[in-house]
């Protein structure tokens, strides 16, 4: 559980304005979805349906920045939606997002409210430091389909999070693997809040503070810390 998240130097060079706020949580009390987490999620969805009206999620400048970033590393953004565009697109059609578990519901609510890609994974399942890097193409990515384990591989040059075992998240924040997914029994987790301009550093801090407040509300005894990766100015 001493493993940390890092950015590869090539990512910093290609995307110098990228920032990631990493929140580490120890001794979480996760569990099945409850009224607290559900209310956060439903409130965020209703508010954004009002804000967007008839507009699509892709019309938002924050999401536009992610579409440009995806194009920059050779991925078609209309096929590989960044995580918050995928959530918002579903929600804006009037479909409530499914309840997963307390912690996932909470970070999805923060993601939708702030139009910010937010992901969380089980810290105990990492096999080394986790690095955001360009894929070589031979890093295994584990998912499940129809109840069966499927191993696939990223495209060469794709932006991935990976440890010594393989990919934990493909196409920056498009899809997480099964190995590190948050479950109701997860005790230690890390969260990644991804920001590209025009999303500001101040706004990123506000979203991070909100997420930590919610985690503390469901897990009063949990220990939280954070660090900023990337451009600090």
């Amino acid at each position: 559980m001493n493993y940390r998240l890092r950015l590869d130097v090539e990512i910093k060079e290609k995307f110098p304005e990228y920032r990631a706020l990493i929140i580490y949580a120890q001794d979480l009390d996760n569990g099945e979805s409850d009224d607290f987490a559900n209310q956060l999620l439903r409130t965020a969805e209703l508010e954004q349906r009002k804000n967007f009206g008839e507009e699509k999620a892709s019309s938002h400048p924050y999401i536009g920045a992610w579409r440009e970033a995806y194009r920059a590393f050779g991925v078609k953004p209309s096929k590989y939606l960044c995580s918050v565009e995928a959530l918002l697109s579903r929600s804006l059609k009037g479909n409530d997002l499914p309840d997963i578990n307390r912690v996932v519901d909470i970070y999805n609510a923060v993601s939708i409210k702030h139009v910010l890609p937010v992901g969380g994974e089980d810290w105990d399942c990492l096999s080394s430091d986790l690095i955001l890097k360009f894929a070589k193409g031979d890093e295994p990515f584990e998912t499940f389909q129809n109840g069966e384990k499927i191993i696939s591989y990223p495209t060469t040059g794709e932006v991935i999070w990976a440890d010594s075992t393989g990919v934990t998240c493909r196409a920056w924040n498009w899809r997480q693997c099964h190995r590190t997914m948050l479950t109701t029994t997860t005790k230690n987790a890390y969260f990644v809040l991804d920001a590209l301009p025009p999303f500001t550093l101040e706004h990123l801090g506000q979203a991070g503070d909100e997420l930590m407040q919610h985690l503390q509300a469901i897990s009063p005894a949990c220990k939280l810390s954070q660090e900023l990766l990337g451009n600090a100015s």
Side-chain angles (χ1 to χ4, degrees), residues 48 83-84 87-88 106-118:
Q48 292 298 25
S83 65
V84 68
L87 291 176
L88 273 170
I106 285 170
Y107 80 64
N108 279 342
V110 171
S111 178
I112 288 174
K113 178 179 177 179
H114 294 276
V115 194
L116 175 72
V118 180

Side-chain angles (χ1 to χ4, degrees), residues 171-184:
W172 215 319
N173 50 51
W174 166 64
R175 182 167 295 171
Q176 295 169 309
C177 76
H178 185 268
R179 171 170 58 96
T180 56
M181 66 184 290
L182 291 178
T183 69
T184 56

Side-chain angles (χ1 to χ4, degrees), residues 70 73 75 79-83 121 132-133 135 139-143 151-156 158-162 166-177 194:
Y70 275 43
F73 65 85
V75 168
K79 179 179 179 181
Y80 296 84
L81 302 182
C82 75
S83 65
E121 297 182 335
L132 187 70
K133 65 177 187 175
E139 302 91 344
F141 178 71
E142 175 189 315
T143 55
I151 302 295
S152 61
Y153 298 87
T155 58
T156 302
E158 182 181 325
V159 176
I160 60 170
W161 284 102
V167 181
T168 63
C169 196
R170 279 195 58 187
W172 215 319
N173 50 51
W174 166 64
R175 182 167 295 171
Q176 295 169 309
C177 76
D194 287 320

Side-chain angles (χ1 to χ4, degrees), residues 190-229:
Y190 59 86
F191 301 88
V192 182
L193 289 73
D194 287 320
L196 289 169
F199 204 99
T200 66
L201 186 59
E202 180 183 10
H203 193 177
L204 183 59
Q206 291 169 353
D209 288 345
E210 193 170 305
L211 176 57
M212 290 192 291
Q213 288 168 9
H214 294 329
L215 293 174
Q216 206 84 64
I218 66 166
S219 304
C222 78
K223 295 182 283 293
L224 299 169
S225 62
Q226 61 175 295
E227 70 176 314
L228 182 69
L229 305 181

Side-chain angles (χ1 to χ4, degrees), residues 87-105:
L87 291 176
L88 273 170
S89 295
R90 182 170 182 172
S91 183
L92 294 177
K93 292 176 182 176
N95 302 314
D96 287 347
L97 296 174
D99 299 328
I100 307 298
N101 57 59
R102 290 204 296 179
V103 172
V104 173
D105 295 350

